[in-house]
Amino acid sequence: MQSYNSFEVAQAQVTAAAKLLNLDRATLDLLLWPQREFTFTLPVRMDNGETRVLHAYRVQHNFARGPAKGGIRFHPDETLDTIRALAGWMTWKTAVANLPLGGSKGGVVCDPRKMSERELERTARAYVRALWPHIGADRDVPAPDVYTNPQTMAWMMDEYETITNRHQPGVMSNKPLALGGSEGRRSATARGGVVVVREACRACGIDPRGDYAIQGFGSNGQRAAILHQEILGGGRLVAASDSSGAVYNPEGMNPIELRNHKLRTGSVNGFSGSEPIDPAEVLELDLAVLYPAALENAVNVGNAERVRARVLCELANGPTTPQADQVLFAKGIHVIPDILANAGGVAASHLEMVQNRSGDYWGEAAVFARLDDTMTRAYHAVHGASRERGIHPRLGAMLVAVARVAQACKLRGWV
Ligand code: GLU
């Protein structure tokens, strides 16, 4: 099977949108490339006394609409090109959601599953010591991503505040509540995804209370499984997979019990009443809604023909390859592209930044209402653009996003 370079895929998406928008060459060249990139090494002391030198990145793709914004991943397969692609997708994501932010992404090549809590803390602090002059509430604001979490942000914020000698909670988002995090942030990515599924089902006349499945039962996948039933008023969770296996029950599984089982045992395997299935099969079930919530390239030309969901909501970043996209489009599957489907996370990060700036903290209901509004508007902007032009929703989303960022670049006189 063809393997993809995510950055080339991301660049091709920008080029396609720019073509439809008749963008000039200079604007396209600007949007194809990150405005700034940092690659650095982090010597980190391990618990056994050895020092390991980890490779790390921060890519700031675009600042035209506001401070760059995006997560930091700790992952063994990280590459500069993956981070470049993901940084660009953050620019498009914040623009689709119409947030006053740019896009960035960071990564450390390491395997957190094999590291202790103290080793992770030393890695997080080393990352900030290397990068601190180039981040900040008005410059670039990191958040958690794959294998990082609010605790990682707490260490990073503490390191930043120690270096700068100021209280600056707005330097990181998705922090623990006790350190200036926002109510509702942790579930915001999943909540935003379910809100756009609600809008998609309404727009396409699909009953959202049919069967659904989660590919990647990690933190976002678990929350989406629970919120799906809460927000849509029903639906049967028939399958879920994680990196160690998959479970299936045609009668439906209780998502809260499945999450508790995973928290207790470390995987979905062996959940009572379910049968084990091949994780690949989860993507091929007859479903109303499928949520790919793991890593890149899960839906590819090898399995796209067999995908039978009516709505595919991309909670993960980049889960569908370009060739698979064409297959899904031809089959009439309603794809809610990642830069729209998972924009709820960064939308709530923006609300956290607003609260950090003002020092005025809101209740959960206020955050959820703003988030719902942002996601609903974003869905209809994208759906409208793709309907009008008869194009794949991913291109529709890129069209909306690229037009907004290009306009900001032009107004600044950059191009
Ligand atoms: N890492 C999340 C994403 O990919 C959130 C980014 C943020 O809140 O800055 O959208």
Side-chain angles (χ1 to χ4, degrees):
M1 198 191 308
Q2 184 177 354
S3 74
Y4 283 91
N5 175 319
S6 299
F7 185 46
E8 285 169 11
V9 170
Q11 286 189 315
Q13 291 170 351
V14 179
T15 305
K19 216 167 165 183
L20 285 181
L21 291 165
N22 286 322
L23 283 192
D24 57 279
R25 185 72 226 178
T27 307
L28 173 61
D29 283 343
L30 187 66
L31 301 183
L32 282 176
W33 290 93
Q35 285 191 265
R36 288 187 184 179
E37 301 184 339
F38 302 93
T39 70
F40 42 102
T41 48
L42 307 176
V44 177
R45 184 95 52 210
M46 296 289 130
D47 292 344
N48 66 4
E50 274 172 23
T51 297
R52 275 183 46 208
V53 177
L54 305 178
H55 289 260
Y57 310 102
R58 185 74 179 166
V59 174
Q60 297 168 338
H61 176 263
N62 195 281
F63 299 98
R65 289 170 50 88
K69 185 81 194 80
I72 298 172
R73 320 194 328 162
F74 285 1
H75 198 276
D77 301 330
E78 218 57 89
T79 66
L80 178 56
D81 271 355
T82 317
I83 300 294
R84 285 170 159 168
L86 290 160
W89 285 326
M90 285 309 302
T91 300
W92 315 126
K93 198 183 294 191
T94 55
V96 157
N98 214 0
L99 306 170
L101 298 170
S104 53
K105 196 71 121 199
V108 179
V109 186
C110 64
D111 193 346
R113 290 163 298 187
K114 297 188 184 136
M115 290 162 75
S116 73
E117 198 64 5
R118 295 279 71 83
E119 289 169 345
L120 291 171
E121 174 175 353
R122 288 193 286 266
T123 305
R125 291 185 185 277
Y127 189 89
V128 170
R129 280 199 303 279
L131 195 66
W132 74 270
H134 308 291
I135 56 174
D138 294 311
R139 199 70 216 139
D140 179 14
V141 179
D145 206 287
V146 175
Y147 294 138
T148 51
N149 55 38
Q151 176 62 72
T152 323
M153 295 302 110
W155 292 323
M156 289 190 169
M157 181 194 80
D158 181 69
E159 191 69 24
Y160 185 80
E161 291 187 340
T162 304
I163 294 168
T164 58
N165 194 30
R166 292 272 181 289
H167 185 56
Q168 305 200 53
V171 65
M172 305 284 160
S173 71
N174 202 345
K175 300 176 292 293
L177 278 181
L179 292 178
S182 173
E183 292 285 353
R185 171 62 184 89
R186 292 203 76 175
S187 63
T189 306
R191 180 172 293 274
V194 177
V195 166
V196 290
V197 165
R198 179 192 71 203
E199 294 306 308
C201 289
R202 276 184 194 157
C204 306
I206 296 167
D207 183 358
R209 287 160 305 178
D211 292 349
Y212 68 102
I214 310 279
Q215 181 256 348
F217 204 66
S219 56
N220 284 332
Q222 292 162 22
R223 291 190 174 101
I226 296 165
L227 288 169
H228 183 98
Q229 297 187 352
E230 205 176 296
I231 294 174
L232 304 178
R236 269 196 312 206
L237 173 65
V238 292
S241 66
D242 60 22
S243 56
S244 49
V247 286
Y248 173 66
N249 183 344
E251 302 305 321
M253 299 178 283
N254 180 316
I256 298 176
E257 284 172 15
L258 182 57
R259 180 196 56 190
N260 293 343
H261 170 85
K262 167 133 185 180
L263 291 178
R264 236 182 5 254
T265 65
S267 84
V268 293
N269 295 334
F271 181 59
S272 81
S274 73
E275 50 183 284
I277 55 168
D278 184 335
E281 272 183 64
V282 173
L283 299 163
E284 300 171 12
L285 296 169
D286 191 2
L287 302 165
V289 185
L290 170 64
Y291 293 91
L295 289 172
E296 299 91 52
N297 304 343
V299 181
N300 50 58
V301 74
N303 59 13
E305 205 57 71
R306 293 193 297 278
V307 171
R308 284 185 291 160
R310 299 194 65 196
V311 176
L312 188 136
C313 176
E314 295 184 341
L315 277 185
N317 288 314
T320 308
T321 67
Q323 279 173 305
D325 251 345
Q326 298 314 319
V327 177
L328 300 181
F329 190 49
K331 286 178 64 151
I333 293 173
H334 187 76
V335 173
I336 309 179
D338 48 5
I339 59 170
L340 168 63
N342 67 42
V346 72
S349 279
H350 173 246
L351 299 177
E352 182 173 330
M353 290 167 70
V354 171
Q355 294 170 79
N356 289 154
R357 243 180 242 284
S358 66
D360 177 19
Y361 287 83
W362 316 335
E364 204 175 65
V367 173
F368 291 164
R370 296 263 314 241
L371 185 63
D372 198 310
D373 185 55
T374 300
M375 295 305 293
T376 302
R377 281 171 200 275
Y379 176 81
H380 290 287
V382 169
H383 189 61
S386 22
R387 272 259 160 109
E388 197 180 299
R389 301 210 185 214
I391 52 177
H392 190 293
R394 190 177 321 281
L395 186 52
M398 285 300 289
L399 211 62
V400 171
V402 171
R404 287 177 179 163
V405 178
Q407 184 194 23
C409 293
K410 280 197 198 308
L411 287 169
R412 285 177 180 274
W414 287 352
V415 280

